[in-house]
């Protein structure tokens, strides 16, 4: 069983990428579970016809977490991808990080991975919230491979470097490794160069460049992944290709994150090279 | 003394200076006597009869408090109502604000007290519940709802918690309709963390000492004081305490808000300290009182001479206590009976927590030799090296020695009556060596 975590800055396209990867991996005949670790609880929406499923924490609030059954917390979506949403409290109250911990404990207690004979688990994790709860998928017993979604924009790159810091720590304690960076292209200035430069500095590589394509929004408006809504499109093939790359990837590393000063220098250098060119 | 022991000797003032200079490595969490701000605040609000304490957070802190002796579990059921929002994991994740509002409403429905004091423990403060936002505006007519963030993990000590609670209460006094100050009246803050008959005896002795000076006691801060009476503390001309450093924050607040005189005398343990306590009080109240011809004082002087003669002048005393007030009080008491004290087992964390108190005492001329030790064996080594000292401690680690046990929960210690009681105990101590065949000795 593979446990793959997708981390990245909020709004960078993690859920879009995760749900398309889940759909593409499931196309290959593998049993996939996608776990959304974001209080918004909309990671799997495009796998379930555009409707948000009940999150584990919303069910826990109603029934008590110890009383939840597997059938309640897992919803079967497109291509038979099993969908789980952690959920969380309302903004500004409680502790969403503790919620993630609690949900992971619940899934373990229910033995969902073995019960459902899961081949690939995809964790879609909010990456710019840096408390310990959101790092749970990085800890022992959960994800062993991490992909960081970024664009060429500064804040997305900054978040990627930050996540690399956590990975550096957890990687030294356990088996979790960085599989690479996935660039969700925004057509920013010197985007490819900036993402490649950061990946190299981290001691990793760019796993894929995902081009920007309006078909993604069109499918999302129908509540579908691109793999489902536009299966013959070039974009669907991009996701299939990324899925294949991830499943066959053998290059993992414990990243070497940059200090804030080094990070600034890297961006300045890339920008200067772009201007000179 | 052996060279190894001499190497560990210093002065208490040096430790205070080192702590002030941040030159002592203090291991956090070792100060078992101090607890955290939650406990301090809970104790203060717990004094007031018409106040219900509501603990926001997990239930354990409140449950433990009910069983701890100093908080009233020694000889009677703990009957004062207290509530907790009893956090579960669910509340940690989703926040406990709604539960808090429900709990306040429940307290109002069941008790409708004059005061509801919401204090937090670690869990609620870690997740950042907006306690003030929830309870502000919930109070009913004639009722106040106050709140304090008292989570121990923030580093707030027991002392800090009690100070903050006192400040909140002083604020409530200031909001109450103004009342005139009655000249010649004084509030007494008696010895705390005792109970039953001895508590009554100590308070009665405090009153007797004040009345001996011609003063009238306005009120005594005691467990079960009615809310209105607490507010009326402000009508006294002055405040005096048997343990000044505990009540200092309220004294300061009342001095600032109402001009209440703050008498800084403390620890009337033994005749010298008791007379000093009365003298400081008399001076603060502009009274000219001479107690030297007082027959009771004369009788105690005689008794003290007998104690001094029996002990032998200049005999060493080893004082082992972690708490600051007792350290100062016992060192002064030892000198009162002609002993030459050395203090041991002083926790630097206590010095740091109460550094302003120790600084004042040092500035006022107090100092005492200090022996640095990590283990009881080292203290035993010191005691054995001193020949035949008197050991003042509350443990039975010194078989064969004269041990004056200061576990005074049931023994009167303060004031003139306290001096009489302590002198009698000291005479008994000298005659009664600890058994060399104590259980501890056998086990060791």
């Amino acid at each position: 069983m593979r446990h793959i975590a997708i981390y990245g800055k909020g709004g960078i396209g993690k859920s879009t990428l995760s749900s398309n990867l889940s759909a593409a991996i499931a196309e290959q005949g593998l049993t996939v579970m996608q776990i959304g670790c974001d209080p918004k609880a909309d990671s799997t929406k495009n796998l379930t016809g555009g409707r948000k499923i009940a999150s584990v924490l919303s069910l826990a609030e109603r029934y008590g977490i110890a009383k939840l059954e597997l059938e309640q917390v897992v919803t079967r979506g497109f291509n038979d991808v099993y969908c789980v949403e952690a959920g969380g409290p309302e903004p500004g109250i409680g502790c969403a990080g503790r919620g993630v911990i609690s949900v992971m404990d619940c899934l373990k207690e229910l033995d969902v991975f073995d019960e459902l004979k899961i081949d690939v688990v995809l964790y879609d994790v909010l990456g710019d919230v840096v408390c310990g709860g959101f790092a749970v998928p990085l800890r022992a017993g959960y994800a062993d491979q991490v992909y960081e979604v970024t664009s060429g924009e500064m804040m997305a790159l900054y978040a990627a470097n930050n996540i690399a810091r956590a990975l550096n720590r957890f990687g030294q304690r356990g088996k979790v490794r960085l599989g690479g960076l996935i660039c969700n292209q925004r057509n920013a200035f010197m985007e490819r160069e900036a993402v490649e430069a950061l990946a190299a500095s981290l001691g990793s590589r760019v796993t894929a460049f995902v081009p920007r394509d309006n078909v993604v929004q069109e499918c999302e408006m129908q509540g579908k992944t691109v793999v489902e809504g536009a299966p013959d499109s070039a974009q669907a093939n991009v996701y299939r290709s990324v899925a294949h790359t991830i499943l066959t990837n053998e290059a993992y590393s414990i990243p070497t994150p940059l200090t804030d000063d080094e990070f600034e220098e890297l961006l300045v250098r890339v920008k200067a090279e772009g201007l000179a060119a | 003394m052996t060279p190894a022991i001499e190497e560990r000797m210093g002065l208490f003032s040096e430790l205070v200076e080192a702590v002030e200079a941040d030159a002592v490595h203090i291991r956090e969490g070792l100060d078992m006597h101090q607890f955290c701000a939650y406990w301090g605040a809970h104790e203060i609000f717990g004094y007031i009869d018409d106040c219900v304490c509501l603990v926001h957070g997990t239930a354990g802190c409140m449950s433990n408090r009910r069983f701890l002796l100093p908080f009233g579990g020694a000889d009677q059921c703990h009957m004062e109502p207290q509530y907790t929002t009893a956090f579960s994991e669910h509340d940690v994740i989703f926040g406990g604000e709604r539960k808090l509002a429900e709990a306040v409403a429940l307290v109002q429905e069941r008790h409708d007290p004059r005061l509801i004091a919401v204090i937090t423990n670690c869990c609620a403060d870690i997740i950042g519940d907006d306690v003030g936002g929830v309870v502000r505006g919930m109070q009913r007519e004639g009722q106040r709802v106050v709140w304090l963030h008292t989570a121990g993990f923030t580093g707030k000590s027991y002392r800090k918690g009690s100070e903050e609670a006192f400040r909140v209460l002083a604020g409530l006094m200031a909001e109450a309709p103004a009342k005139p100050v009655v000249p010649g009246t004084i509030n007494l803050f008696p010895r705390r963390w005792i109970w039953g008959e001895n508590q009554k005896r100590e308070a009665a002795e405090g009153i007797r000492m004040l009345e001996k000076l011609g003063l009238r006691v306005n009120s005594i801060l005691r467990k079960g004081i009615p809310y209105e009476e607490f507010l009326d503390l402000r009508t006294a001309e002055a405040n005096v305490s048997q343990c000044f450093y505990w009540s200092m924050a309220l004294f300061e607040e009342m001095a600032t808000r109402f001009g209440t005189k703050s008498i800084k005398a403390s620890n009337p343990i033994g005749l010298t300290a008791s007379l000093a306590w009365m003298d400081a009080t008399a001076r603060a109240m502009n009274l000219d009182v001479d107690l030297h011809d007082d027959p009771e004082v004369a009788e105690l002087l005689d008794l003290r001479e007998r104690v001094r003669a029996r002990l032998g002048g200049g005999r060493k005393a080893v004082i082992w206590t972690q708490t600051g007030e007792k350290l100062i009080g016992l060192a002064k008491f030892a000198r009162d009976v002609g002993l030459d004290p050395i203090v041991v087992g002083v926790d630097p964390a206590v010095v740091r927590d109460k550094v302003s108190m120790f600084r004042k005492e040092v500035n006022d001329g107090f100092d005492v030799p200090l022996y640095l030790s990590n283990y009881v064996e080292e203290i035993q080594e010191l005691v054995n090296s001193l020949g035949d000292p008197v050991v003042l401690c509350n443990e039975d680690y010194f078989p064969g020695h004269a041990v004056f046990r200061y576990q005074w929960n049931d023994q009167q210690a303060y004031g003139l009556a306290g001096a009489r009681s302590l002198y009698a105990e000291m005479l008994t101590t000298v005659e009664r060596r600890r058994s060399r065949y104590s259980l501890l000795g056998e086990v060791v």
Side-chain angles (χ1 to χ4, degrees), chain A residues 16-51:
Chain A
T16 302
L17 178 72
S18 298
S19 51
N20 275 290
L21 286 177
S22 292
I25 293 168
E27 263 186 356
Q28 299 183 25
L30 296 170
T31 306
V32 182
M33 173 175 278
Q34 181 169 322
I35 303 173
C37 300
D38 187 321
K40 292 202 310 293
D42 60 357
S43 167
T44 58
K45 199 173 73 169
N46 293 329
L47 290 164
T48 54
R51 69 178 173 87

Side-chain angles (χ1 to χ4, degrees), chain A residues 56-57 65 84 86 98-108:
Chain A
V56 179
L57 289 175
I65 200 154
V84 176
R98 182 66 214 176
V100 175
I101 295 169
S102 189
V103 169
M104 291 302 165
D105 287 347
C106 171
L107 295 178
K108 207 175 226 179

